[in-house]
Amino acid sequence: MDKSEILKRAQEYIAAEKDERFSNEIKELIEKEDFAELEDRFYQTLEFGTGGLRGIMGGGTNRMNTLEINMATQGLANYVLKAFPEKAKDGTLSAVIAYDSRLNSDVFAEATALIFAANGIKAYLFSGLRPTPELSFAIRQLKAQTGVVVTASHNPRMYNGYKAYWDDGAQVIEPHDKGIIEEVNKVSEVKSMTKEEALASGKLVMIDKEIDDKFWDMCKAQLFRPELIKEKAKDVRIVYTPLHGTGAMHVEKVLGDLGLNIITVPEQREPDGNFPTVEKPNPEEKPALTLAVELAKKEKADGVMATDPDSDRFGTAFPDKDGNFVLLSGNQMGALLIDYILLSRKELGKMPVNPTVIRSIVTSPFGDYICKKHGVKMLECLTGFKWIAAVEANFEKDNSASYVFGLEESYGYKVETEVMDKDGVSAAAMCAEMILYWRSQGKSLLEHLDDLYKEFGYFEDRAISQNFPGASGSETMKAMMSSMRANPPKTLGGENVVKVRDCLADPELPKSNVLQFYLESGTIVSARPSGTEPKIKFYINSMIPAGDGSDAWYADAKVKAGALCDGITRDIQKIIDEASK
């Protein structure tokens, strides 16, 4: 992009952006003649990805700011008005808006609500920060046609985002996402009104406790063994961290009502969009749980639980026999939850007709084996919980199956049907009950995980991410995927690649830029550009088939899996290095 085009876009942005904090940033960059930074801010306009809008906060069309929020909301409002003409005609359209603890989240959320209100769509705005799963729950409770949560989930502090939801409480997918983008691109004027005008007209309604109470009750209602909880809860001590996000109010309430001893990490309890104690507020990453693990050791706790800033992701760590805390991966916790939920439904006679678990394609097939044992079907879908929700929504429409659980490797779990997105709050409650159950059977969760490995085979997972920022980075990622598509690797980690799955051409799935390489052992390696960050991700789901279940087999399987993952990691790094030249 040449300098004249950059300056043209920058001046257009300055004229349109009403928030001086963001427009002044661009004025300063123009004065400094920082064209490299200006190009990064204007080479593209943020578009709806796997979860809506998400980007670094700041001035520019390739940043999260008030103008981008306003344009997106006006486009969404226009689309909703067209999608529900009868409700638009009689004035009964509504939307729900929630936000997390990130910087500017409250400002962006209020701007969103006021634009909806100005377009004749009643806006239900939470009076304070709330988790993403509660937004989904509220849409269904209030029978709204759409909803928005302002969050960037687990991304670093400089990010914020905007996730749009439909009337089923799930994130928008095709054709709605493309329809909204078309409307956003056509926006020439953004309607708005003051907060006072919106409240006086009844088009802005503040909500909190009336939804909170129902949400908490719903989370507790998912549990299977209330008597066990009542009897044993006081025996368990849990250290919890909300990582400066929305979780404390909800996890403390739900687990506290169950009678569990909850110790919240004091330095991370209060909401703070600067996330002062962590580089990334992501429970998937070990450093984010450092303070929680230190406190857990001091308190001799039975486990660590963590949620990300919008409380849709759920991470855990548990002490081994030597008292060292082991962080469970999303795949490991997912397998444990599948096992517990299915065995509980069987034991208690609560297994529905045609029970089905849904996982993303990059999630370990470990759970598939557990499902097969229990006679439960496992379905695959694209990465992102909106696709899990889409499969579940089809169940609701045609009664073809009964949803019992959904999961993805990135610490996302959904045990309920009342929420159409991953939910860290209900996952925490179910995990707490699972701890108590296995304790009543004389086992820890780590010991039971070992039992599952010995029964079904050993699974080890690795994730590799490589950032490619800026306009050139986007082109590098495209070229890397094109190269692997045209010339897929013949071996990875010393094993032959026996099958390649291209999700741009898979008739079973919506088109997605994902490649999967299947190895001789059953190991799967997936390559996927992120939908929310400038990076490409590789997922290694290694598998050592089940043997005799002995301790000797188990020890050998761990060594083999580790060596295989190491070899695959080296081969992937070569692919990345070649593409980065």
Side-chain angles (χ1 to χ4, degrees), residues 16-57:
E17 176 63 85
K18 301 297 190 290
D19 192 325
E20 291 185 354
R21 295 175 304 158
F22 297 120
S23 59
N24 285 341
E25 288 183 13
I26 303 305
K27 291 177 183 177
E28 289 175 11
L29 290 171
I30 292 173
E31 288 176 7
K32 294 177 183 177
E33 297 186 348
D34 189 345
F35 287 102
E37 179 66 17
L38 284 166
E39 181 181 26
D40 187 53
R41 291 181 181 230
F42 289 101
Y43 79 88
Q44 67 175 5
T45 298
L46 290 179
E47 292 187 358
F48 278 73
T50 56
L53 290 169
R54 191 176 298 183
I56 296 170
M57 287 177 279

Side-chain angles (χ1 to χ4, degrees), residues 323-395:
N324 298 312
F325 276 75
V326 178
L327 276 65
L328 293 192
S329 72
N331 285 318
Q332 289 172 322
M333 177 51 64
L336 285 166
L337 286 169
I338 290 173
D339 176 70
Y340 179 68
I341 289 168
L342 298 187
L343 74 84
S344 296
R345 285 187 174 276
K346 265 194 169 180
E347 285 183 9
L348 301 172
K350 293 185 176 181
M351 192 70 82
V353 176
N354 297 324
T356 305
V357 175
I358 310 168
R359 67 167 174 86
S360 69
I361 57 175
V362 298
T363 297
S364 170
F366 188 8
D368 300 23
Y369 292 82
I370 300 170
C371 284
K372 186 176 180 180
K373 173 186 176 180
H374 291 284
V376 172
K377 188 174 184 179
M378 174 70 86
L379 286 181
E380 282 188 308
C381 65
L382 295 179
T383 304
F385 241 85
K386 66 180 185 179
W387 297 111
I388 292 175
V391 176
E392 182 188 352
N394 289 333
F395 296 169

Side-chain angles (χ1 to χ4, degrees), residues 223-366:
L223 302 176
F224 296 106
R225 296 178 171 87
E227 292 305 315
L228 174 66
I229 293 172
K230 186 182 294 184
E231 179 186 346
K232 301 285 187 181
K234 288 297 181 186
D235 297 339
V236 173
R237 292 164 67 80
I238 298 293
V239 166
Y240 166 68
T241 174
L243 296 176
H244 303 289
T246 62
M249 169 184 178
H250 302 278
V251 174
E252 288 176 354
K253 170 64 177 175
V254 172
L255 298 192
D257 284 355
L258 297 175
L260 291 152
N261 289 308
I262 304 300
I263 306 163
T264 303
V265 177
E267 300 94 331
Q268 297 175 330
R269 186 180 185 279
E270 296 306 314
D272 188 340
N274 289 303
F275 307 115
T277 65
V278 292
E279 184 177 344
K280 295 179 182 178
N282 185 355
E284 295 179 63
E285 300 193 7
K286 188 175 182 179
L289 271 63
T290 298
L291 287 176
V293 168
E294 288 175 355
L295 182 58
K297 288 179 178 178
K298 179 182 175 182
E299 295 287 345
K300 294 182 171 54
D302 298 286
V304 166
M305 295 184 181
T307 51
D308 65 341
D310 66 326
S311 302
D312 60 353
R313 281 175 167 80
F314 173 67
T316 57
F318 298 97
D320 62 16
K321 292 177 180 178
D322 298 321
N324 298 312
F325 276 75
V326 178
L327 276 65
L328 293 192
S329 72
N331 285 318
Q332 289 172 322
M333 177 51 64
L336 285 166
L337 286 169
I338 290 173
D339 176 70
Y340 179 68
I341 289 168
L342 298 187
L343 74 84
S344 296
R345 285 187 174 276
K346 265 194 169 180
E347 285 183 9
L348 301 172
K350 293 185 176 181
M351 192 70 82
V353 176
N354 297 324
T356 305
V357 175
I358 310 168
R359 67 167 174 86
S360 69
I361 57 175
V362 298
T363 297
S364 170
F366 188 8

Side-chain angles (χ1 to χ4, degrees), residues 102-117:
R102 287 181 178 270
L103 301 178
N104 297 308
S105 283
D106 55 345
V107 175
F108 293 162
E110 184 173 299
T112 299
L114 295 179
I115 292 169
F116 278 131

Side-chain angles (χ1 to χ4, degrees), residues 381-535:
C381 65
L382 295 179
T383 304
F385 241 85
K386 66 180 185 179
W387 297 111
I388 292 175
V391 176
E392 182 188 352
N394 289 333
F395 296 169
E396 292 184 355
K397 290 175 185 174
D398 59 19
N399 294 314
S400 58
S402 299
Y403 175 91
V404 291
F405 187 57
L407 72 155
E408 59 182 12
E409 51 75 39
S410 56
Y411 287 54
Y413 319 101
K414 187 172 87 72
V415 304
E416 69 267 51
T417 57
E418 294 86 348
V419 168
M420 297 294 275
D421 208 337
K422 53 186 174 287
D423 181 2
V425 182
S426 62
M430 187 63 74
C431 180
E433 183 181 86
M434 181 168 62
I435 293 169
L436 289 168
Y437 175 80
W438 287 113
R439 174 170 287 198
S440 74
Q441 304 297 307
K443 292 181 181 292
S444 70
L445 277 189
L446 292 182
E447 288 169 337
H448 182 59
L449 181 61
D450 288 341
D451 291 343
L452 292 177
Y453 281 140
K454 289 176 181 178
E455 182 176 359
F456 298 111
Y458 185 67
F459 297 80
E460 185 170 324
D461 310 297
R462 302 268 182 96
I464 303 163
S465 294
Q466 179 68 44
N467 283 298
F468 293 97
S472 61
S474 177
E475 293 305 314
T476 299
M477 286 193 291
K478 288 179 183 176
M480 187 189 303
M481 292 298 290
S482 295
S483 176
M484 287 190 290
R485 191 166 272 116
N487 299 291
K490 291 182 171 55
T491 64
L492 287 169
E495 284 197 14
N496 291 326
V497 175
V498 296
K499 174 186 171 184
V500 178
R501 182 189 199 183
D502 184 350
C503 294
L504 283 178
D506 190 328
E508 300 296 318
L509 296 169
K511 291 184 184 301
S512 182
N513 189 18
V514 179
L515 288 169
Q516 292 190 293
F517 308 103
Y518 292 75
L519 311 186
E520 293 168 294
S521 62
T523 293
I524 305 170
V525 180
S526 306
R528 170 184 168 264
S530 171
T532 60
E533 297 176 82
K535 66 183 180 183

